[in-house]
Amino acid sequence: MTELLGKTLVWQPGLVQANKPEVEYARTQMIEMPSIVGDVVRSVGLSTAMRAAGVVTGLLPIPQPMLLVGPGASRRLGETLSRFGHQKVLIVTDRVVAEMGLLDGLTKALSEGGTAHVVFDAITPDAPIPLIEKGMAFYRKHRCDAVVAFGGGSPMDAAKTIALAVANKKNPRQLVGYFRGLHAPVPIYAVPTTAGTGSEVTVAAVVSDPQSNRKLVIADTRLVPTIAALDPTLMTGLPRHVTAATGMDALTHAIEAFIGQWSTGYTDRMALAAVGMIYDNLRIAYRNGKNLAAREQMALAATYAGLAFTRANVGYVHAIAHQFGGRYHTPHGLANAIMLPHVLRFLSPAITKQLAVLAVRAKVGKAGERSAVLAKKFLDSVEELNRDLGIPRQLDALREADILELAKAACWEADTSYPVPRYMSPETCADLIRHVLPKDVQRRKR
């Protein structure tokens, strides 16, 4: 939670909940300030508030899951759970994962160990709340006592939300914000099938509300899974575009954690390790999806990045990506990848030294070169990586008429929730977003 003008706000991406109407007025006034004055006031006041919030978050005890890593890790998770005495385990996934047979190792191990299980495979992209509600009913109907999140970011987020909601007998909408559940979630275990979200080690679940076209965040340190199985064999069949987008998602997590005001020695180590591993392995995994070594390194990199940002948080790239996801249902990793170069170039005057460190870790520059030179090399390398991975430069769904509203929502989310290293006005944010308008729209504007 963030204190603004003495009023307590609960963050939802692009959506404000306040206990006084004056806060909404204050928000509107802040956004509508003249750009220069507004930027100065907001950067001084919000920067101080965010540093103070960082001290508090730095003291929060965030658990870390036990990691099972390597080929067959998902089966080993099933063998482990069979010794835990669960009566029936709910596996939350999507239909594609289920139809590809990726659950087989886990489910066979559970059956062989005498642990009953049921599969809820109805989750779709963005983890819509109505489907999560169906998952909760499914959990209760089958009298489960634990949840396994199996899949990409959406099944992970859905499983976490189900686990917290059934334990607290609340609708997911009642859990949006920070620490809204009195009771701990039922036991959560995780098997990621993409190397991107890091949700297997994070404190948050991002769900979508079709009623408002918003993405909402549920955050609680108890949402961190107890055990996560990183099994590269589950990732060898990923389509190239999914490998690319999820890999860039992990890179964005690592970068934003490293450059933000809440970074620590620990989060820096995790973030820098992730950046180095991604630069070493993402192109390989993209070109040869069967390469188990590269897949395993990417799975670990996504986890390390998750460990970094769950403590150090993210920034403007995510704030904008959340708006694209809520409005256009753009895959989150793709939205991050498209916006990452533009946001980093805006931030670069304030993070030159950090960008220089990233350049050395990514092996696109050498220690001893001037910081400005290294920073430019890293910025250029992010654009080059996007090109090599076939990431589009434009967002085809984006419409000029939506941009200012998207920018205001993104700035509000970032300014009140993220420890960004440099603040931007909604007008500046709108200009950045215009860079990714479809080419035909850009030509007409000229």
Side-chain angles (χ1 to χ4, degrees):
M1 288 185 287
T2 302
E3 288 290 321
L4 178 65
L5 303 179
K7 312 300 182 188
T8 301
L9 305 181
V10 177
W11 171 59
Q12 301 177 23
L15 182 66
V16 180
Q17 288 188 341
N19 59 357
K20 295 282 187 179
E22 302 96 281
V23 178
E24 176 62 20
Y25 173 77
R27 177 186 77 88
T28 303
Q29 295 298 350
M30 181 176 71
I31 288 175
E32 292 178 352
M33 286 184 203
S35 293
I36 296 176
V37 176
D39 286 352
V40 171
V41 173
R42 290 187 310 122
S43 64
V44 172
L46 290 171
S47 180
T48 301
M50 280 298 156
R51 281 197 295 271
V55 173
V56 175
T57 59
L59 298 175
L60 283 176
I62 299 177
Q64 294 184 12
M66 179 189 301
L67 296 180
L68 304 176
V69 183
S74 59
R75 178 178 177 83
R76 294 198 299 277
L77 175 62
E79 294 168 348
T80 301
L81 297 189
S82 291
R83 301 185 180 100
F84 283 1
H86 293 303
Q87 298 302 306
K88 187 177 287 187
V89 174
L90 172 66
I91 301 172
V92 179
T93 189
D94 61 55
R95 197 145 293 140
V96 173
V97 167
E99 290 176 351
M100 289 178 66
L102 300 185
L103 301 175
D104 290 353
L106 172 68
T107 56
K108 287 179 180 177
L110 288 171
S111 297
E112 291 168 2
T115 300
H117 65 273
V118 289
V119 177
F120 182 74
D121 63 359
I123 300 304
T124 59
D126 299 322
I129 286 177
L131 287 183
I132 292 172
E133 292 169 336
K134 290 183 179 180
M136 293 166 59
F138 193 83
Y139 179 99
R140 295 189 187 104
K141 175 183 176 181
H142 292 278
R143 298 184 179 181
C144 299
D145 59 0
V147 174
V148 175
F150 200 114
S154 295
M156 291 276 176
D157 292 337
K160 288 180 172 182
T161 304
I162 290 169
L164 187 63
V166 296
N168 286 277
K169 299 180 180 179
K170 285 188 173 184
N171 183 277
R173 291 182 181 86
Q174 295 175 287
L175 297 170
V176 171
Y178 296 91
F179 300 101
R180 289 301 190 89
L182 177 63
H183 303 289
V186 302
I188 305 169
Y189 308 97
V191 185
T193 59
T194 63
T197 69
S199 189
E200 65 275 6
V201 295
T202 67
V203 301
V206 182
V207 299
S208 63
D209 185 357
Q211 293 180 5
S212 62
N213 285 327
R214 302 286 189 182
K215 282 199 169 184
L216 312 176
V217 174
I218 297 168
D220 192 312
T221 54
R222 298 169 297 180
L223 284 175
V224 177
T226 303
I227 303 176
L230 308 183
D231 190 337
T233 63
L234 303 177
M235 304 175 189
T236 56
L238 284 176
R240 279 189 169 190
H241 72 277
V242 176
T243 297
T246 54
M248 291 303 294
D249 189 19
L251 181 64
T252 305
H253 292 154
I255 292 173
E256 291 203 304
F258 183 68
I259 65 177
Q261 296 186 61
W262 291 357
S263 65
T264 67
Y266 169 76
T267 63
D268 285 353
R269 288 192 295 274
M270 294 296 104
L272 289 172
V275 169
M277 294 164 75
I278 291 167
Y279 267 79
D280 285 346
N281 293 281
L282 180 52
R283 288 183 177 91
I284 297 172
Y286 175 76
R287 293 166 183 159
N288 177 13
K290 303 296 183 183
N291 188 311
L292 279 178
R295 289 292 192 188
E296 183 174 308
Q297 288 293 294
M298 282 302 303
L300 280 167
T303 297
Y304 294 163
L307 290 170
F309 90 82
T310 204
R311 173 72 72 179
N313 220 318
V314 288
Y316 279 116
V317 181
H318 272 75
I320 297 170
H322 285 152
Q323 312 316 314
F324 290 169
R327 179 67 61 94
Y328 307 120
H329 304 290
T330 308
H332 180 64
L334 177 62
N336 276 339
I338 291 173
M339 288 307 306
L340 180 61
H342 301 288
V343 173
L344 287 181
R345 289 196 183 279
F346 166 79
L347 296 175
S348 60
I351 57 170
T352 301
K353 291 182 179 179
Q354 291 99 314
L355 291 173
V357 173
L358 289 167
V360 173
R361 187 56 64 99
K363 301 176 185 174
V364 298
K366 296 181 180 179
E369 295 182 84
R370 289 190 299 113
S371 292
V373 172
L374 287 171
K376 184 179 185 304
K377 286 184 175 182
F378 185 74
L379 294 172
D380 291 344
S381 77
V382 172
E383 294 185 349
E384 182 180 358
L385 183 56
N386 269 351
R387 286 195 298 271
D388 291 349
L389 299 175
I391 299 292
R393 294 175 63 88
Q394 282 79 38
L395 180 64
D396 288 341
L398 182 62
R399 297 292 176 264
E400 171 65 37
D402 298 335
I403 287 179
L404 186 56
E405 183 181 347
L406 292 169
K408 287 180 178 180
C411 285
W412 179 244
E413 177 181 325
D415 292 353
T416 60
S417 302
Y418 302 149
V420 296
R422 181 188 182 193
Y423 289 91
M424 68 173 76
S425 68
E427 291 77 17
T428 299
C429 184
D431 287 341
L432 290 184
I433 294 173
R434 287 191 181 94
H435 281 100
V436 304
L437 274 167
K439 288 182 179 179
D440 60 329
V441 177
Q442 292 189 28
R443 282 195 295 269
R444 288 200 299 271
K445 286 173 69 64
R446 297 192 195 105

